[in-house]
Amino acid sequence: MNTFQYWKPEIEKMAREDLLALQLQKLKTAVGWALRTEWYGKRLPAAGIKSPDDIKTLADLRRIPIMEKKDLRGSFPYGLLSLPLSDIVRLHASSGTTGIPTTIYLTAADLDRWTDNMARCLYGTGCTKDDVFQNMITYGLFTGGLGLHQGGERVGMMVIPAGAGNTARQFKMMQDYGTTVVHATPGFLLHCESKMREEGIDRSKLKLRKAFAGAEPYSEDTRKRIEQLLKIDVYNSYGISEMNGPSVAFECQAKDGMHLWEDQYIGEIVNPETLEPLPDGEKGELVLTCLCREGSPILRYRTHDITSFYTEPCACGRTHRKLHRFTGRSDDMMIINGVNVFPSQIEEVVMAMPEVGNNYLIVVEKDGSLDRLTVKVEAGPGIFTDDTRQMTALMDKIKHTLSATITINPKVELHESGSLPVSEGKSVRVLDKRPKDM
Ligand code: AMP
Ligand code: ZN
């Protein structure tokens, strides 16, 4: 039996009605922040919200227009900034964007709130200051690296900013420093396990006991598989950069659903077609309102992630509602080894190259535990030759141009003009062959 531990028990176990009152108060504050931005400065008054006092109950949330990724891009770079740049101390940007990244800006107070929310998540899984935390995820603009890093430090753990990839180096650090907790994508954790076996690393000599896994969807079976193979506890972590990244929702020691921190975010589940709210417990698209970021306030943001709320309370006693494991997306975004990729990004790159013909196909499949992306393109008329050197050079060029945009390395195949399948109806541009086991 677990002894549950709480970072902010007075908030985490707050009575529901107090929590809703707190949400309302914070929503008003967030609306005040938003009104100062160029984007909301026009749209909120048009919806009849001219001041925070126009928000009288939580139901007034519905009067706020829903925001899409394209709106964020459309307001790039500073249309959603609510304060002068001199008040901003950090920016982050989402992966999976073309020329215009979806960028968020944080003040020192925002950063402090995010760090504390992160510490709440990590402490809630049973971590303490005695843990050694190896953060095996990408640092940089991606929020997963610095987000968990800061939270780990706030808990008091010793954080190793390992970054993603390079299993040999990761294993060396685990052995040298006695790592007890890691953070990675679920795919990388499975990959680590097979590499450990290949390299004859003796698991019993490692001190590993926990992992936080997120950034991409995975099934309960995958969680169990990682837990059994690596003999650790795995906790699901959900984040989206527009909402600060990780710390939006996280599993507690009950390991059954992720608590959405409702004092920091308001979650709605809507019908992805009509955007109308769905009754509690029904599955739909998650729309999130950020209550904890002044630098770039974002209200009612379409995540495109499909899930539902638990209707039963959690064994841990926290009152913040839990989200079920995500089962998919309501758009065509693919997540490849934790990186967001839109088919349109690939199309833009290949179609801009004069050597490439009119047909292409994107194939995503499993290569061991990791994902592999192959982009098959037809050569333009008169381009395809038997000269392998020339063909390899062209494939390399396509590959490098693609990886500069999508930030992952695809495999590129060049096919003769007219040789890729042409569908009679709607073009099939993406073949996702990864098992759908959720
Ligand atoms: P990013 O903005 O780059 O952090 O990517 C956010 C997206 O990653 C989300 O909208 C989800 O589609 C996906 N994602 C993150 N964490 C999880 C998770 N635990 N389970 C499923 N999908 C996730
Ligand atoms: Zn719980």
Side-chain angles (χ1 to χ4, degrees):
M1 184 60 206
N2 275 318
T3 334
F4 296 110
Q5 62 179 34
Y6 313 91
W7 184 250
K8 288 257 163 72
E10 68 288 2
I11 299 278
E12 293 169 52
K13 294 194 279 180
M14 198 172 209
R16 261 326 276 175
E17 58 182 59
D18 295 339
L19 184 53
L20 296 179
L22 183 62
Q23 270 193 335
L24 176 60
Q25 180 203 323
K26 289 199 178 182
L27 176 61
K28 283 167 162 253
T29 307
V31 163
W33 296 337
L35 278 165
R36 297 201 302 251
T37 69
E38 193 187 309
W39 198 85
Y40 283 112
K42 290 186 203 121
R43 283 162 186 86
L44 288 180
I49 305 166
K50 296 192 178 65
S51 99
D53 290 335
D54 290 323
I55 301 288
K56 304 225 180 317
T57 71
L58 279 177
D60 287 327
L61 179 72
R62 301 259 153 78
R63 293 166 52 204
I64 298 175
I66 285 199
M67 183 187 262
E68 301 265 4
K69 209 177 189 85
K70 69 171 166 33
D71 298 320
L72 251 176
R73 292 205 186 129
S75 69
F76 184 81
Y78 294 135
L80 267 159
L81 201 64
S82 83
L83 291 164
L85 271 190
S86 52
D87 287 325
I88 301 299
V89 299
R90 168 93 67 82
L91 71 74
H92 276 283
S94 174
S95 57
T97 53
T98 41
I100 306 179
T102 48
T103 311
I104 55 153
Y105 304 90
L106 300 117
T107 65
D110 294 339
L111 201 53
D112 183 65
R113 277 187 283 266
W114 180 27
T115 303
D116 212 68
N117 294 344
M118 224 38 275
R120 187 196 290 190
C121 300
L122 306 186
Y123 194 72
T125 66
C127 287
T128 69
K129 64 185 196 46
D130 296 324
D131 278 299
V132 175
F133 171 35
Q134 188 166 325
N135 198 13
M136 309 197 292
I137 213 140
T138 314
Y139 276 66
L141 289 177
F142 177 60
T143 52
L146 283 167
L148 272 92
H149 181 110
Q150 296 151 190
E153 286 182 349
R154 180 139 317 173
V155 168
M157 298 193 262
M158 178 170 87
V159 184
I160 310 174
N166 196 341
T167 46
R169 197 172 133 263
Q170 301 285 4
F171 299 156
K172 173 115 182 26
M173 287 191 270
M174 286 177 195
Q175 288 161 325
D176 289 349
Y177 303 121
T179 302
T180 57
V181 192
V182 290
H183 171 218
T185 60
F188 188 66
L189 287 173
L190 281 171
H191 179 63
C192 281
E193 197 278 328
S194 21
K195 284 281 179 194
M196 267 183 197
R197 264 184 295 133
E198 245 174 74
E199 289 172 28
I201 300 215
D202 183 356
R203 166 67 186 90
S204 67
K205 299 240 165 71
L206 299 178
K207 294 193 176 148
L208 270 191
R209 61 185 189 102
K210 264 191 217 325
F212 315 123
E216 64 189 15
Y218 61 115
S219 63
E220 195 52 43
D221 286 341
T222 300
R223 182 228 296 265
K224 293 216 175 85
R225 176 185 287 233
I226 303 172
E227 291 194 321
Q228 280 157 11
L229 290 172
L230 281 172
K231 299 184 186 62
I232 52 174
D233 281 308
V234 173
Y235 296 87
N236 197 2
S237 154
Y238 171 73
I240 167 162
S241 5
E242 293 84 335
M243 291 289 125
N244 281 354
S247 80
V248 174
F250 220 90
E251 277 184 334
C252 65
Q253 285 155 295
K255 283 203 301 191
D256 177 24
M258 297 174 284
H259 289 283
L260 172 75
W261 300 120
E262 293 182 281
D263 59 318
Q264 307 290 334
Y265 300 94
I266 302 180
E268 302 167 78
I269 301 288
V270 303
N271 175 326
E273 308 286 327
T274 61
L275 300 184
E276 285 303 314
L278 291 170
D280 225 19
E282 264 188 48
K283 196 160 147 176
E285 183 181 325
L286 179 66
V287 168
L288 287 171
T289 293
C290 186
L291 302 176
C292 54
R293 196 179 56 232
E294 180 174 12
S296 43
I298 298 187
L299 314 170
R300 300 199 80 207
Y301 186 69
R302 278 193 80 173
T303 64
H304 286 280
D305 291 316
I306 305 292
T307 181
S308 56
F309 276 114
Y310 278 63
T311 47
E312 322 79 54
C314 185
C316 74
R318 287 180 178 85
T319 48
H320 301 238
R321 286 179 301 168
K322 287 192 297 188
L323 292 172
H324 280 278
R325 206 170 266 287
F326 290 87
T327 53
R329 292 190 48 95
S330 63
D331 62 4
D332 59 355
M333 187 179 96
M334 308 176 282
I335 304 185
I336 300 171
N337 295 327
V339 176
N340 305 348
V341 179
F342 286 93
S344 56
Q345 292 176 275
I346 297 178
E347 172 169 336
E348 264 175 48
V349 171
V350 294
M351 286 296 120
M353 299 183 83
E355 304 93 329
V356 172
N358 292 337
N359 205 358
Y360 68 93
L361 185 65
I362 299 164
V363 182
V364 194
E365 55 208 325
K366 279 279 173 206
D367 180 9
S369 321
L370 297 177
D371 300 324
R372 185 177 55 204
L373 168 69
T374 307
V375 180
K376 302 183 180 202
V377 297
E378 281 183 7
I383 297 287
F384 202 84
T385 80
D386 289 338
D387 182 343
T388 40
R389 256 202 12 226
Q390 226 175 310
M391 289 295 93
T392 310
L394 178 53
M395 280 192 283
D396 280 349
K397 180 179 168 193
I398 303 173
K399 190 174 156 161
H400 290 131
T401 321
L402 269 173
S403 59
T405 303
I406 59 178
T407 73
I408 54 172
N409 277 325
K411 198 173 145 218
V412 170
E413 281 179 16
L414 201 56
H415 293 258
E416 232 171 307
S417 178
S419 64
L420 285 178
V422 181
S423 40
E424 288 178 359
K426 235 160 111 106
S427 313
V428 178
R429 297 295 195 192
V430 180
L431 274 185
D432 195 337
K433 298 184 178 169
R434 292 174 292 185
K436 301 260 175 305
D437 56 353
M438 336 197 173

